Each structure stands twice: as C-alpha cells, then as structure tokens.
Amino acid sequence: MSDATLPDTATPRPVPFRGGGFRPVAKRGVGLAVFVVLLLVIEWGTRAGWIGNLTLPRPSDVGAALVELYQSGMLWTHLGPSLARLAVGSLLGISAGIGVGVLIGLFSYIRAGLVPLVAALFPIPKIALLPLFVIWFGIDEGSKYALIALGTFTPTVVSTYGAVDNVDRALVRMGQSFGLGWWSIVRKIILPGALPGILSGLRVSLAIGIILLVAAEMLGAEHGIGAYVLQAGSLYDLERLFAGVVILSALGVVTSWVIGLVEKRLLRWRG
Amino acid sequence: MTTFTRRGALGLAGGAAVLPLLGAPALANTKTTVGALRFTSHAASFVAFERGYFTDEGLDVDFKFFEAAQPMAVAIASRDADFGVTSITGGLISLAEKGAAKVIGGALSEEKGIDGQMILASNAAYEAGLTAPDQLDGKTFAVTQPGSSFHYMGAKIAAAEGASLSFKPLQKVGAIIGAMKSGQVDAWTIVPHIGKALTGGGAVQQIGMVADYLPGYQVTTLFTSAQNAENDRAKTEAFLRAFSRGADDFNAALVDKTAGDDAAEEMVKLVHKYVYTDRPYDKAKPSIVNGAMRINKNAALNMASVEDQLGWFKSEGLVKDSITTETLVDSSYAEAI
Amino acid sequence: MDLTLANITHHYSGLPVLQDISLHIPAGQILCIVGPSGCGKSTLLRLIGGLERPDEGDVLQLGAPPPDCLNPLTYVFQDFALLPWRTVRGNISLVLEDHGLKGAEAERIISDVLARTNLSDFGKALPRQLSGGMKQRVAIARALAVNPAAMLLDEPLSALDAQTRELLMEDLLALWARQPFTGIYVTHNLSEAVRLGHSIAVLSRRPGRIREVITIDTPPPDRRAGDARLDEVQAHLWSLMRDEAKAADQELLNV
C-alpha cells in the first residue's frame, strides 16, 4: 500500500457536483428554428432534385399558392363558409355537449342511461354517417352543421361529465353545510369548478371539429377550405393541397390560442 | 431490334387478327400490372386477358382493381400499376405535368348513333320543369370531384346552353345516385349502363345525350407511366396491340354487332366474369349490353377532343396554363383521329 | 341552543364505525372530541351537522337558535373549503346570497367578520394568494358571517404549521372570549383539546365508543401554559389513548 492510493485527508476538496439535468428548461426559439431548418431542407431538396416533385411540393411554391389565394380574393371565398360551418356546427355540438355532460354529472339516472349511449356514439366515424345526414338535413349547410355538431358533441360530453365528477366534493359539502340550495350549488360551485376541465376538453373538441370540416365539405360544398384541399388532392395539385393544409393548421392554432385567451380570462383564479 | 420494329409496324398496319400467326413474342413473360375498374368500359383489357392476347405478346398480366379512376392514376404515377384506362381528369393532367404519367392512346368514345352517356334530371327537378338541357340555368349539377370528367361534361353542356350551373362535389358515383334519387341535386351525366338502369326504374329522368353536345368526346384514354412510355417501348407497344385486339372483339360483338348473336352472348359471359359479378347472369346481361360503347380501333386518340378537354381544364384554372398537349400525350404510339 | 346526541350508532357498508354515542353540549361551551385516527371523529361531526344520517339514534337541538342566526350548525373544515375562483369577500358573500342578503347589508356583515378575523385588508385577494393560516381565518370569518348557534370545527388547525397553529388558536380563544359560541371541536391533537375544550370526549378506536368525558373548569381564555391541572388532564388523555393509537396504527387500511 503506497501513499499514492490513499486519499489525501489533509487538503480540503470541493464536494463533487452530482445534481442537475432531468428538468425541462424553456428554450426560446428552438421550435421555430427546427421548423425553419426543416422547410429549408425541403426547399433545397426539391430544388436540387433529390426530393421528387411527386413526393413533396417546394415550400416556396406553397407560399406562392397561399399568396395567390389571398390576392385573388378566393381565400375569403373559401374561409368564410368554412368558418361559418365550424362556428355554427361546433356551437351546436359544444352547447349540447356541455348541457348533456352536466346532466350526466349531476343525475345518476341520466348517467346510467346516457353514458353507454355516448360511449357507443363516440367511436363511430362520423364521416360514415355523412350520406345519412345528407338525407336528413339536406345537402346544403344542414348536413355540414350536423356532422360537425355530432363530432364535437361526444368529446364535449365526455370531458364535461369528467370535469363535473372532478369538482372537489369537499366544496359541495361546504355548500350544503351552509344551507345553499341545489341550484345555487350547481351554479356557484359545480359549474365554475368544472370550467377548467370543460375548457381543456374544448381544445380537443374544436380540433375534431376542424378535422370534420374537411369531411363535411366532401359532399356538396363548392367553397370552403375543406373543399379546396379535396379539390387540390383530386387534381394532384400538391402546392394548393399543402396551402390548404397550412390554412387548416393555422385554424387549429388560432382556435387553440382563443381558448387560451378565454382560459386566461375565466380562470385567472388558477394563477 | 428489327423484330419488334417490324412487329410494331405490323401491329398498327395489319390490325390484331394476323398477329397470332407470327412467331414467338419478342417479350418473354414480362410481368405487367394493368389497372382496371369493374366497368364494361374496361372490357377490352378483360377480353385480351381471357383470350390470351396478352400472353401472345409475352405479357404476364395481373389486374389490379380500383374503385375510382383517380386512385388508378396515382397508382400508375407511383408505379404500382403499369397501364390504366381512365377519363382525362385534372388529376391525370397534373400527374402528366409532373412527368409521372402519359396518355398513349384512346379507348371509349362518344359516337352518334351508339348509345352513349346520358344527361339525367332528378324526378323533382323534372317535375319542376327541367325536361331538356336548355332548362339547366340555375340548377345544381352533380360531380364526383372538381376537375372530374363529370365536371367537364356539365360545364360544356352549360356553355352550349348558356346556362349557369352550380356543381356539387359528392365524391362517389353511389353518393350521386342517392342524391339524384332523393332530389338533393338536379342534374347529372353518366355512362349508359348505369343511366339506363336508373331511368328504367323511374328513379330519374333522361333529358338528353352527351353526344349531342360533345360529338367524338374521347371519354377514356389509355395511359401509362412516363417511364414506360419513354424507356419501355416494346412493352408498351405490346400492351397496345393486345388491348386493341380485345377492343376489336368487343366492338364486333356488342357495338357494331357484326359477329353474330353467339359471339355477343359469349362476349357478355366473358365480361360478366369481371363486371357485375355480384349479380346473376340474367340480370347482368342487359347492363353489360347497355354499357357497350365504342372502344377506339387501334387505340386511336381523338386529339381534337383531348385538346378541347385540356383547354377547358386550363381555362377553369384547374391545371397549370403551361401544360401543352405534348406534356399530356405521347403521340408516337397511336394514330390521331 | 344546546345539542344532545342520543345513542348514535353508524355503519359504513356493514362495518360499525360509531357505537352508542351519547353526549350533551350546553350552549356557549366547547366540546372537544379526541381519538386515534379512524375512530369516526369526523363522521360523528358530519352526523351532528346533518350532512349524514345516523343508522340509529338521534341528534337533537334543544331550544331555538338566536333570531338573527342564518345557519344554526356551521362547519369549519380542515381543508378550508374555499372556492378558489372567488375572492375573500366573494367566498363570504356566497353563504349570505342564498339567505337573501345582498348589497349593503351583506357588505356590512362581510366587513364586520373580516374585521373580527383581522382580514380587512385582504377582501379582494384570491385564495391562492393567501397562506394556509389566512385561508383558515377566511373560513372562520365565513362561519361567523352566518351567525351560527353552534360551530362544528373539523380539525381546523391540522393542515397548518406549528407557529400558524399557535396564532390561530389564540384567535379562536379571543373570538370565544368576545362572544362565547357553542363549539364541537374534533382534533387528534391533545394539547389543542386541553387549551380549548370545556369538556373533552375521548373515543376508542373503531368502532368508536365514548371512553370518558373529562371536564376542565378553568374557562379556556384563562388557561396558561404550565397549569398543573391541564398537564394532568393531557397526561391522562394520553394514557387513555396510547394503546388505542398504537393498535390503530398497526391496523391494515382495508376500508
């Protein structure tokens, strides 16, 4: 045993650092950079030829298609009807969904009766029902509203009754202990308490609404972003197809942002 | 090299009948995939397969069946199929523009005197006064998709009558039939074997014929990948020869009816192997006979009609203005009429 | 208003949790209920306040509550039970609204109870901005707003740290000294019971039975640390509970 192998006990040494890592840190701009790099690579690839023109459109051409769409005024011709369909359809579906969801959350009989029905409706591909809706509600706006309404209805019901179930029962007991009426408890405790869950459910519901917008515009729509995308697809016009997809994504980002604003406003108490 | 040049020349000049008399085929068991729809209009391929005309040419053919023309065009572009028959659609033109597909010949044509595509009105619209195409102004017209052949026909009829139509995309022929029966749309055009079945049952009314507006309309064309058209000339010519023999048999049996009743009966039986297979022969027969439209001899292509169609797609902004007939058609294979 | 519990027995899904409990709480006095965890203390409190119905026995009110009393039996909960989306004033206003008290009259009551609990400056704050002790003071202010005939306090200090507990205990004693209220105070903390209770009921572990009721004659506000009688009571309570607590601790949590 030589001295060299023994730790030097006389000199003080700093404690080695063993912590750190394993904690996500907000890095600004990285997401945007990834996006930009991806677009640049695709642009380069399509120009150099190692990405075939059947595989992906050139990003600059997609941009040009968007500009052309805007300058020709067709953007609003397509966006207007689509926004109206999305607004009316999801308004119907979401308000009915919140109503039914609250009823399921409050009444055991309604829960027992409707939860299996909602579970049965949820996985039905609503697109498959489109021909039926055309017969029920007509080929014009009625069937499109119905499709989007049904599509947003089921997820809203599920998230709403889940949110009602998750309201702190201690708060309800508090309300009862102070002699609050049934309606007061629903209005002042259950509904505000369920609001965060309902709003985050709306994000999902509205995204489904946008997906179904394209499906709704398959039948009998002359104008609309969905019709535009489908037309570009059937013409194998990749630039316009992607331009439409960009608009749909933007629509998704905007609705998500609006819900974020509503959340910020209505849920200020969460901090 | 000399062999197949001679054969190609003979194939075009001498027609199909003499070809089996020639020696061994230039190609030996070349695997070939042919896209087809289960429609009477695709009968020439079925005849060529069943009667061994493909094998005579050394082609080992597999059929790949599609539900609609559009995916077939995409399958050719992606090289999942070698040859196909479909109408000229915006999608096909766009694929040609991207250097993925080429029209190499003509198939189904409108011809006065032979029952062709019909103009239909829904019962509700008919009762409201849509009894002839000149009443179309302000009506709705069903199409599968914008840029489909239905869209082209509707627009050309409307232009001839000075009518303004609103086009309703319904994606599938089945959906259109439902919408026509329930009066959700006013008018439509369709091939006779479907149209006659509908009018026969009183579900819709016939108000005219497409041939009156688009005489010589080149309804469907033969097409292949640009790769085949350019680099695999032997195979492409072999396919065209075999297809033309099938077409001649079909025309003789069911369109010109020069081959006699037995040949007609035999032809219907052959086609029934592929078309209306879910129906008993007795029920399928009238539909097959009704659906018989002329398939161009030697896959000749009506260039005037092709140019008219291309021009319309361009004028509607459905395809790029820069596309020329040369981009779409490889005219080195079939004669133009 | 006096409260009387007569032979209360209660089960949860067939398992007895409380057996034959009889107690009397005179007006203006505080009864502390202590016992090992799981002895049914909180259940008993819910039975007294009418949030649950006993299987057998009765909870009886003797005499009328005072005329300006809005909610005779009023709880203060361990977890405060404040609505997070309402401000301090809003949380107190909640329990007045249903009694038709709005506007100036409600504002007067709210300001009064906030002053009594030293919260006057925090009326517009949201619960998340408050410390635990402050939250419990809001809950106490809310209870005071309905002018209860009896306060049912369910371990009100258990969720707080030791210093806050001490401060809030002083607040409670001051409130009682100013206007004696009838109180039932459930706790597992023996020193809290000895500080606050006119009488202390000791429950056995499940099923909860009354082992003993101990009375302390010194009025709560006059009790001082180091008082021999109080230490003796606390030691006695511990000796009663020690073995029960040990046994309760080793039970499997199967309910």
Side-chain angles (χ1 to χ4, degrees):
Chain A
M1 282 277 201
S2 70
D3 280 353
T5 60
L6 287 170
D8 182 0
T9 47
T11 10
R13 288 162 300 127
V15 171
F17 176 67
R18 294 177 291 179
F22 301 104
R23 179 188 280 178
V25 182
K27 299 279 185 203
R28 297 186 64 168
V30 175
L32 194 67
V34 168
F35 197 66
V36 168
V37 166
L38 194 64
L39 283 183
L40 286 176
V41 167
I42 295 172
E43 180 79 29
W44 173 43
T46 45
R47 277 180 194 277
W50 49 266
I51 298 178
N53 61 355
L54 271 175
T55 315
L56 280 176
R58 202 171 285 174
S60 54
D61 287 348
V62 174
L66 276 171
V67 169
E68 187 203 310
L69 189 64
Y70 175 75
Q71 283 173 344
S72 65
M74 289 305 279
L75 180 62
W76 301 114
T77 314
H78 287 300
L79 207 50
S82 284
L83 288 177
R85 283 164 195 148
L86 188 64
V88 175
S90 49
L91 196 70
L92 290 172
I94 285 169
S95 44
I98 291 177
V100 171
V102 169
L103 291 178
I104 288 176
L106 292 178
F107 300 104
S108 302
Y109 268 108
I110 296 183
R111 173 181 301 248
L114 290 189
V115 167
L117 186 66
V118 170
L121 278 178
F122 207 160
I124 297 177
K126 313 299 180 291
I127 302 162
L129 297 180
L130 190 52
L132 189 66
F133 286 171
V134 167
I135 297 190
W136 287 355
F137 303 108
I139 201 159
D140 295 320
E141 300 304 303
S143 55
K144 299 174 180 63
Y145 295 156
L147 184 75
I148 296 174
L150 184 63
T152 50
F153 172 75
T154 38
T156 310
V157 169
V158 172
S159 66
T160 302
Y161 81 71
V164 171
D165 288 352
N166 277 335
V167 172
D168 190 353
R169 294 298 123 162
L171 295 180
V172 174
R173 233 184 348 265
M174 181 276 293
Q176 291 173 328
S177 81
F178 279 96
L180 266 62
W182 181 87
W183 179 234
S184 280
I185 291 178
V186 171
R187 208 157 41 94
K188 296 173 185 171
I189 298 177
I190 302 273
L191 290 183
L195 197 58
I198 293 175
L199 283 177
S200 66
L202 282 195
R203 284 178 194 275
V204 178
S205 303
L206 283 175
I208 292 175
I210 294 173
I211 293 172
L212 287 176
L213 180 64
V214 179
E217 291 178 351
M218 275 168 59
L219 286 196
E222 275 184 86
H223 297 294
I225 294 300
Y228 179 79
V229 169
L230 288 166
Q231 170 175 338
S234 72
L235 294 173
Y236 219 82
D237 187 336
L238 292 183
E239 289 82 22
R240 286 192 223 176
L241 178 68
F242 273 72
V245 168
V246 167
I247 294 173
L248 286 173
S249 305
L251 206 55
V253 172
V254 169
T255 48
S256 176
W257 175 73
V258 167
I259 293 176
L261 278 191
V262 172
E263 277 180 341
K264 228 179 219 166
R265 216 179 137 62
L266 292 183
L267 307 181
R268 234 176 323 199
W269 50 270
R270 285 201 305 193
Chain B
M1 210 49 203
T2 43
T3 323
F4 84 73
T5 316
R6 179 169 51 88
R7 290 174 58 87
L10 275 172
L12 286 172
V18 293
L19 277 167
L21 304 174
L22 295 171
L27 303 159
N29 290 325
T30 306
K31 277 269 178 204
T32 307
T33 309
V34 174
L37 308 185
R38 292 185 180 276
F39 280 173
T40 314
S41 47
H42 289 251
S45 305
F46 306 144
V47 176
F49 180 79
E50 289 291 322
R51 298 197 168 158
Y53 302 158
F54 284 131
T55 331
D56 291 346
E57 294 289 348
L59 296 175
D60 181 7
V61 164
D62 271 328
F63 283 119
K64 202 177 186 92
F65 288 100
F66 293 89
E67 294 293 318
Q70 195 64 46
M72 186 156 69
V74 176
I76 297 239
S78 68
R79 317 217 50 202
D80 289 312
D82 290 307
F83 300 99
V85 180
T86 185
S87 44
I88 295 182
T89 61
L92 179 62
I93 299 173
S94 289
L95 289 171
E97 187 259 333
K98 292 180 198 308
K102 277 280 193 218
V103 169
I104 49 170
L108 216 59
S109 282
E110 285 286 345
E111 188 176 311
K112 287 212 178 184
I114 291 172
D115 284 356
Q117 301 195 75
M118 305 155 73
I119 307 171
L120 304 177
S122 71
N123 282 342
Y126 189 84
E127 277 155 29
L130 180 57
T131 52
D134 57 3
Q135 303 294 315
L136 275 170
D137 194 33
K139 303 291 181 193
T140 55
F141 189 91
V143 300
T144 49
Q145 290 163 339
S148 61
S149 55
F150 300 104
H151 192 183
Y152 168 73
M153 287 185 276
K156 290 305 257 190
I157 295 166
E161 295 291 355
S164 109
L165 286 176
S166 100
F167 294 96
K168 295 276 174 191
L170 293 166
Q171 309 306 324
K172 287 181 184 157
V173 168
I176 296 179
I177 291 174
M180 284 292 287
K181 282 183 177 169
S182 58
Q184 305 273 5
V185 286
D186 298 326
W188 186 37
T189 54
I190 187 60
V191 288
H193 65 278
I194 296 175
K196 283 178 185 169
L198 288 172
T199 52
V204 298
Q205 303 296 325
Q206 182 183 352
I207 59 169
M209 297 300 290
V210 173
D212 293 338
Y213 295 87
L214 294 163
Y217 172 30
Q218 186 70 62
V219 184
T220 61
T221 57
L222 287 163
F223 66 104
T224 184
S225 62
Q227 168 78 13
N228 275 346
E230 228 162 275
N231 303 332
D232 217 342
R233 209 166 171 90
K235 184 161 115 180
T236 307
E237 285 177 344
F239 171 79
L240 279 173
R241 277 193 302 275
F243 184 87
S244 299
R245 287 176 68 194
D248 289 344
D249 286 7
F250 181 79
N251 287 337
L254 293 179
V255 183
D256 300 324
K257 303 191 175 74
T258 51
D261 289 347
D262 289 348
E265 185 81 18
E266 205 183 317
M267 177 61 65
V268 172
K269 277 185 181 150
L270 189 157
V271 173
H272 184 230
K273 282 189 185 173
Y274 297 91
V275 182
Y276 300 122
T277 49
D278 54 340
R279 294 190 208 169
Y281 176 73
D282 289 343
K283 288 200 174 170
K285 185 181 170 185
S287 297
I288 293 171
V289 172
N290 284 338
M293 286 173 69
R294 162 131 8 246
I295 300 173
N296 290 2
K297 190 170 178 62
N298 293 332
L301 191 61
N302 186 332
M303 284 307 285
S305 173
V306 170
E307 272 165 25
D308 184 63
Q309 294 183 49
L310 182 58
W312 178 80
F313 281 110
K314 283 201 253 186
S315 70
E316 288 291 302
L318 293 165
V319 300
K320 294 204 173 86
D321 275 335
S322 55
I323 301 172
T324 60
T325 320
E326 287 71 44
T327 323
L328 178 63
V329 180
D330 186 333
S331 52
S332 67
Y333 284 97
E335 62 182 298
I337 46 171
Chain C
M1 188 183 80
D2 294 10
L3 282 174
T4 298
L5 279 60
N7 310 99
I8 301 238
T9 297
H10 197 62
H11 300 80
Y12 277 142
S13 49
L15 213 71
V17 281
L18 291 168
Q19 202 144 34
D20 202 26
I21 307 271
S22 293
L23 281 170
H24 179 77
I25 306 109
Q29 288 203 4
I30 297 174
L31 168 76
C32 290
I33 300 174
V34 297
S37 56
C39 72
K41 308 187 286 283
S42 295
T43 307
L44 185 60
L45 203 67
R46 285 202 291 275
L47 295 172
I48 297 171
L51 287 180
E52 281 184 46
R53 211 173 269 146
D55 291 345
E56 289 165 42
D58 295 295
V59 182
L60 303 167
Q61 306 181 21
L62 298 174
D68 56 347
C69 166
L70 298 175
N71 190 45
L73 300 166
T74 298
Y75 284 89
V76 174
F77 299 94
Q78 178 181 356
D79 57 3
F80 326 129
L82 299 177
L83 301 185
W85 50 88
R86 285 198 178 216
T87 61
V88 168
R89 293 189 86 92
N91 264 287
I92 299 170
S93 140
L94 173 81
V95 299
L96 299 174
E97 287 159 14
D98 265 40
H99 298 286
L101 282 172
K102 289 197 175 92
E105 175 66 3
E107 289 302 308
R108 191 193 59 73
I109 295 175
I110 295 168
S111 299
D112 174 52
V113 295
L114 287 180
R116 277 156 73 185
T117 46
N118 298 322
L119 285 168
S120 297
D121 295 339
F122 301 96
K124 295 223 170 2
L126 284 168
R128 69 176 160 85
Q129 300 170 301
L130 303 176
S131 68
M134 296 270 272
K135 283 186 201 164
Q136 195 55 291
R137 279 178 22 221
V138 175
I140 292 168
R142 177 176 63 188
L144 294 174
V146 292
N147 208 1
M151 293 253 265
L152 309 176
L153 301 113
D154 186 5
E155 307 213 21
L157 308 185
S158 300
L160 308 174
D161 62 67
Q163 291 92 329
T164 315
R165 212 149 51 205
E166 189 57 37
L167 290 172
L168 216 61
M169 175 57 75
E170 284 171 12
D171 287 348
L172 280 175
L173 287 167
L175 280 172
W176 188 87
R178 191 174 139 173
Q179 188 179 6
F181 53 82
T182 314
I184 299 171
Y185 187 104
V186 164
T187 183
H188 60 261
N189 184 317
L190 300 183
S191 71
E192 281 175 20
V194 172
R195 285 281 292 281
L196 203 59
H198 294 84
S199 51
I200 299 163
V202 183
L203 293 193
S204 66
R205 78 191 154 97
R206 194 167 42 222
R209 289 189 193 84
I210 292 184
R211 297 233 4 217
E212 201 174 326
V213 179
I214 299 159
T215 321
I216 306 176
D217 295 328
T218 326
D222 301 339
R223 296 176 194 170
R224 294 287 168 267
D227 184 322
R229 165 69 182 149
L230 298 184
D231 289 348
E232 180 198 326
V233 170
Q234 194 167 336
H236 179 60
L237 288 174
W238 180 233
S239 70
L240 282 172
M241 275 182 59
R242 191 189 159 90
D243 293 338
E244 299 271 2
K246 205 174 194 172
D249 187 47
Q250 285 168 1
E251 260 175 20
L252 286 173
L253 286 174
N254 55 359
V255 272

